[in-house]
Amino acid sequence: MTELIAYEEKYFADLENYPLSEEQLGFTGHPLELLERSTNISTYTPIIILEEGQVAGFFVLDTGEDKFNYTDQQESILLRGYSIHPAFQGRGIAKTSMSLIPPYVLEHFPKIKQVVLGVNEANKAAQSVYLKTGFIDEGKRFNGRSGVQIAMSLKLNEVITRQAILGDEQGIVDVCVAAQWNTYKELYTVEYIESIIEKYYTTERIKEEITSTSRDWNGYYVALLNNRIVGAIGGGVDEEGVAEVYVFYLDPQKRGEGIGTKLLQSFTEIQRNQYNAHEQWVSVAKGNDLSIPFYEARGFVFQMEEEPYESNQENNVQSLRYKREI
C-alpha cells in the first residue's frame, strides 16, 4: 500500500541511501538537500512516500513565496523536489502517490485551493505522470536552475473534464461497475449485471476504447475531482450528424453535485463542434428513475420504447429512447 506521511527522523538513514543519477539530479533536488533546507525554511513540509512501510519517494510541500513563479493565486501550495527511489521505479508508485496528494493537502492544508509545480521542458517522463494525474499545463514558462520550466496546476475540489488517456482505465472501470450495481440492482438479475460488467467494463476493453477512437466512437471522456475519476461518458456520431450517448455513468456517491451536468455538457460540445452533431440520442432502461429525470431536465424528449440492445427472457426491461436538439 502506498501512503504519504510527514517526514520523521527515523527515515533519515533511508534518505541517506537514496541514489539519484546525475540526470535525475538535473531535474530535482536530492531529498537530503531539501531536508536540510527545510530546517531553515518554515514554509517547507517534507513528505515521505511509503510503499509497504518502506521509503519509496520524497517531496516537499511549500507554502512560501516561490509559488508565485507558478501562479498568482495566494491559496496555492508548491510541490517541489518530487522523486521516486530508483529501487521503486516502474511499479506505478509515482501515479499512485500523486493521486494521494490532493486528499493529503485538503486534510493538512484546508485553506489551499490548488497545487502547483514546475517541470523541466526536457523531463518528458515527469510531464506525462503529472498530466495523467490531473495537472494542467497553464501555458506559463520561466527559467529555472536547469532550463525552462513548465508551470502546472491541479485545482482542488473542482471538477475537471477531459478526454480519457491511458492510465484512466481502472478509474473508468471502477465508476462504471459501481454505477451498474447502483442503477440496475432492482431492474436486472445479479447474473445479468455481472455478464454486462464482464463484457463491457474490463480494463482491457476500456484501454482499447481509449486508444481506438473514430467518428462512430468518439472515445471516453472523464470527470475528475481531486485527481480521481468520478464520471465517464462515451458515444459516437453518424454521417448525418446524429449523435448517440452510449455510456454515461457517475460515482454513485457523487450524484447530485453537478458533475453529470458538466460532463454531459462537455461531451455534447465535442460531438457538436468536432463532429457537427445537431441532435443527440440516449437509451434509458424503463424504470431507471435515477436517470430519466436527469435527461428530461436537460431537454431530452421521449421518442419511443424498444427492445434493449442486449436482453433475455429474465431481463427483458424495455429501453426508452430520448433525443434532444443540440
Side-chain angles (χ1 to χ4, degrees):
M1 181 180 72
T2 306
E3 55 184 324
L4 307 181
I5 64 165
Y7 169 78
E8 298 177 25
E9 190 67 29
K10 65 181 179 181
Y11 297 115
F12 185 80
D14 293 299
L15 297 182
E16 286 185 307
N17 184 30
Y18 196 105
L20 293 178
S21 68
E22 289 297 320
E23 180 182 10
Q24 289 172 306
L25 290 172
F27 296 137
T28 189
H30 192 279
L32 290 180
E33 174 193 346
L34 291 158
L35 197 60
E36 183 177 358
R37 273 194 248 163
S38 72
T39 62
N40 299 313
I41 304 177
S42 61
T43 60
Y44 275 31
T45 300
I47 306 295
I48 297 289
I49 302 169
L50 291 181
E51 178 66 20
E52 302 298 339
Q54 295 182 289
V55 174
F58 180 90
F59 62 90
V60 167
L61 293 172
D62 180 13
T63 57
E65 298 299 302
D66 285 354
K67 65 190 174 190
F68 293 118
N69 289 322
Y70 309 83
T71 183
D72 297 326
Q73 185 168 317
Q74 176 69 39
E75 294 151 322
S76 301
I77 197 165
L78 174 61
L79 170 64
R80 61 194 316 163
Y82 180 90
S83 66
I84 297 295
H85 191 293
F88 291 87
Q89 292 175 9
R91 302 188 193 179
I93 295 171
K95 183 180 178 183
T96 302
S97 62
M98 291 297 294
S99 71
L100 296 175
I101 290 175
Y104 186 93
V105 170
L106 288 168
E107 178 181 356
H108 297 280
F109 302 89
K111 293 183 180 180
I112 295 299
K113 294 183 178 179
Q114 73 171 356
V115 181
V116 296
L117 59 82
V119 58
N120 195 289
E121 274 192 332
N123 193 350
K124 302 300 183 183
Q127 291 172 39
S128 176
V129 170
Y130 298 143
L131 290 170
K132 286 180 179 179
T133 51
F135 280 83
I136 296 172
D137 180 353
E138 298 283 8
K140 187 175 183 179
R141 303 291 186 270
F142 64 95
N143 290 319
R145 66 175 187 175
S146 56
V148 177
Q149 301 287 304
I150 302 171
M152 292 187 172
S153 69
L154 175 66
K155 303 292 190 295
L156 302 180
N157 285 334
E158 181 176 316
V159 176
I160 297 169
T161 62
R162 60 163 171 77
Q163 187 170 9
I165 57 177
L166 289 177
D168 287 341
E169 48 267 30
Q170 187 61 59
I172 294 173
V173 166
D174 291 344
V175 164
C176 291
V177 169
Q180 281 283 320
W181 288 111
N182 185 66
T183 305
Y184 300 119
K185 61 182 181 294
E186 304 298 333
L187 296 175
Y188 300 138
T189 65
V190 169
E191 292 75 18
Y192 181 71
I193 296 173
E194 289 176 341
S195 71
I196 293 296
I197 291 171
E198 183 178 355
K199 182 173 182 178
Y200 293 106
Y201 303 115
T202 65
T203 54
E204 293 79 10
R205 176 165 181 142
I206 299 298
K207 184 176 182 179
E208 175 66 23
E209 291 176 335
I210 287 174
T211 56
S212 300
T213 62
S214 64
R215 185 178 184 88
D216 294 333
W217 169 249
N218 309 149
Y220 270 104
Y221 285 73
V222 294
L224 298 101
L225 178 64
N226 296 328
N227 204 16
R228 186 172 71 86
I229 292 175
V230 292
I233 192 171
V237 183
D238 70 14
E239 294 299 330
E240 284 70 46
V242 177
E244 189 84 34
V245 176
Y246 294 129
V247 56
F248 183 21
Y249 291 115
L250 297 180
D251 179 338
Q253 296 182 344
K254 295 299 179 182
R255 294 184 66 92
E257 298 183 15
I259 297 171
T261 299
K262 185 170 184 177
L263 184 55
L264 177 61
Q265 180 180 356
S266 177
F267 187 62
T268 299
E269 290 173 0
I270 296 295
Q271 292 191 315
R272 182 170 53 223
N273 297 333
Q274 291 189 19
Y275 299 100
N276 298 315
H278 58 85
E279 69 180 46
Q280 190 177 50
W281 288 74
V282 66
S283 294
V284 189
K286 188 175 183 178
N288 181 356
D289 295 331
L290 292 174
S291 299
I292 292 172
F294 173 87
Y295 288 117
E296 290 180 341
R298 283 146 191 86
F300 285 87
V301 178
F302 172 72
Q303 301 297 311
M304 69 191 82
E305 185 173 318
E306 64 182 18
E307 291 290 326
Y309 177 68
E310 289 198 17
S311 65
N312 55 43
Q313 290 184 343
E314 292 184 51
N315 297 281
N316 193 23
V317 176
Q318 292 294 97
S319 180
L320 306 181
R321 295 284 286 157
Y322 281 79
K323 81 165 184 176
R324 67 175 179 175
E325 302 300 317
I326 59 173

